[in-house]
């Protein structure tokens, strides 16, 4: 038994945000049925071999349902009658046109929870605007903060960070709505707007003194904004070191034989002084680390229990000894005999551990019934029974 065993979820979402939310729920044991339009989820055609789609949609079953057709709407109602949750990431106007609101489905299942995520919350002048990860990184202040920190132009984080963070919030909202229904019997509709959700994350780090009225200083958290807050160059490469507590700083300067400097320099003496002079503090660390090799620093700093890490490339993760030892990487057999490399479900659970991840759903074209190799990773898993609907 897993944490969400017996929970049935219809996933009418596409791209990254919604599918990531439902993947988290599938990882915890929910039975997720992914509903795709006849042309398939666009992410089947993104990345190398549809890898992003495969990671976002592992452990799900699949169905092709044309929600724009009368037949597709009939199938939607049949599926909704047996589901616990419907998840989508359509704008409210589109959801209304496709009968994906709770009010549209209450007649067939009043206990159905409907959870959605979209760009901008209702009631504001931007509600109804299209939104994507890049746009919300810009609108939320993240892109400008990245540029301010680097001293360069505004920049995007090279990940679908907003989609995944908001997707995690959406999964959390679904779990909370399930718990609420179990406790009160009330099934509800939950909406998670991207802009407001991510603006909260940026503001909670960087609103700073503007959090108060009257203000107690300006915006931006100085430690996070320092150009020296980055991996440090060693004699033969790079290393990540974070001296966070007073003990860390004292141990580090003792290793350097410069403990008196830490005590005497008013810019380094304590946490408040270092925060006010963060560029100088981090600059001292950078200069010291440049005189020894990465491997030597890893040994010395680890022995002193000072927070330190190698700077891995993505490829390095595949051979990382810790990830290997903890079973982070999983090999999922696929119907064609190949293997899909993915990650373990998150967390450790003492009573309801997640099962192993499964493959993503395959995709078949409704009109011909033949497999469409253009629109799916060829190595998905076939769906069977009611879930493989062609409409």
């Amino acid at each position: 038994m897993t944490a969400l065993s017996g929970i049935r979820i219809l996933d009418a979402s596409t791209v990254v945000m919604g599918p990531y939310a439902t993947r988290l729920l599938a990882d915890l044991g929910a039975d997720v049925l992914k509903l795709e339009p006849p042309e398939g989820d666009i992410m089947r055609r993104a990345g190398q071999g549809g890898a992003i789609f495969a990671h976002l949609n592992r452990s799900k079953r699949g169905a092709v349902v044309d929600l724009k057709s009368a037949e597709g709407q009939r199938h939607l109602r049949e599926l909704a009658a047996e589901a616990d949750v419907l998840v989508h990431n359509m704008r409210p106007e589109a959801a209304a046109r496709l009968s994906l609101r709770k009010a549209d489905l209450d007649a067939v299942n009043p206990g159905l929870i409907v959870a959605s995520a979209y760009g901008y919350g209702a009631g504001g002048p931007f509600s109804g605007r299209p939104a994507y990860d890049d746009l919300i990184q810009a609108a939320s202040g993240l892109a400008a903060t990245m540029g301010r920190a680097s001293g360069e132009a505004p920049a995007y984080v090279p990940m679908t960070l907003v989609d995944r963070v908001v997707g995690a919030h959406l999964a959390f909202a679904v779990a909370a709505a399930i718990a609420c229904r179990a406790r009160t019997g009330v099934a509800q509709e939950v909406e998670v707007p991207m802009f407001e959700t991510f603006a909260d994350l940026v503001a909670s780090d960087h609103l700073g003194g503007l959090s108060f009225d009257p203000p107690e200083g300006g915006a931006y958290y100085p430690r996070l904004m320092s150009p020296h807050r980055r991996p440090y160059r060693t004699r033969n490469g790079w290393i990540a070191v974070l001296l966070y507590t007073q003990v860390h700083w004292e141990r580090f300067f003792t290793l350097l034989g410069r403990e008196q400097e830490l005590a005497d320099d008013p810019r380094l003496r304590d946490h408040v002084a270092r925060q006010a002079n963060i560029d100088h503090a981090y600059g001292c660390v950078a200069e010291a680390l440049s005189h020894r090799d990465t491997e030597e620093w890893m040994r010395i700093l680890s022995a002193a229990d000072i927070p330190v890490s190698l700077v891995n490339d993505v490829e390095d993760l595949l051979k990382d000894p810790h990830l290997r030892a903890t079973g982070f990487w999983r090999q999922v057999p696929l119907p064609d005999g190949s293997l899909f490399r993915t990650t373990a479900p998150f967390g450790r659970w003492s009573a309801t551990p997640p099962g192993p991840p499964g493959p993503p759903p395959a995709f078949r074209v409704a009109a011909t019934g033949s497999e469409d190799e253009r629109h799916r990773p060829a190595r998905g898993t076939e769906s069977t029974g009611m879930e493989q609907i062609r409409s």
Side-chain angles (χ1 to χ4, degrees), residues 332-377:
V332 179
L334 299 175
D336 66 358
S338 64
L339 295 173
F340 168 50
R341 179 185 288 115
T342 190
T343 59
F346 70 92
R348 299 281 180 174
W349 303 72
S350 64
T352 58
F363 185 81
R364 289 181 178 273
V365 174
T368 65
S370 62
E371 295 183 1
D372 185 345
E373 303 296 341
R374 297 169 301 168
H375 293 324
R376 68 172 179 88

Side-chain angles (χ1 to χ4, degrees), residues 44-68:
R44 289 185 177 273
R45 305 184 287 281
Q48 300 91 327
I52 296 176
F53 175 90
H55 285 290
L56 291 172
N57 293 284
R58 71 187 191 193
S59 304
K60 302 177 187 178
R61 298 180 295 130
V64 177
V65 178
D66 183 1
L67 296 175
K68 296 178 181 179

Side-chain angles (χ1 to χ4, degrees), residues 99-160:
S99 300
L100 293 176
R101 301 167 303 181
K102 180 167 173 55
D104 300 320
L105 299 168
D106 266 346
V108 297
N109 185 356
L112 181 69
I113 294 165
V114 177
S116 61
Y118 51 84
Y120 299 87
F126 302 156
S127 61
R129 278 188 180 182
Y132 292 91
D133 192 286
D134 292 0
L135 301 184
I136 300 300
Q137 286 199 37
S140 67
L142 179 61
T145 300
M146 290 282 291
R148 181 184 289 260
S150 66
E152 300 176 357
Y156 299 132
V157 176
M159 283 183 58
T160 51

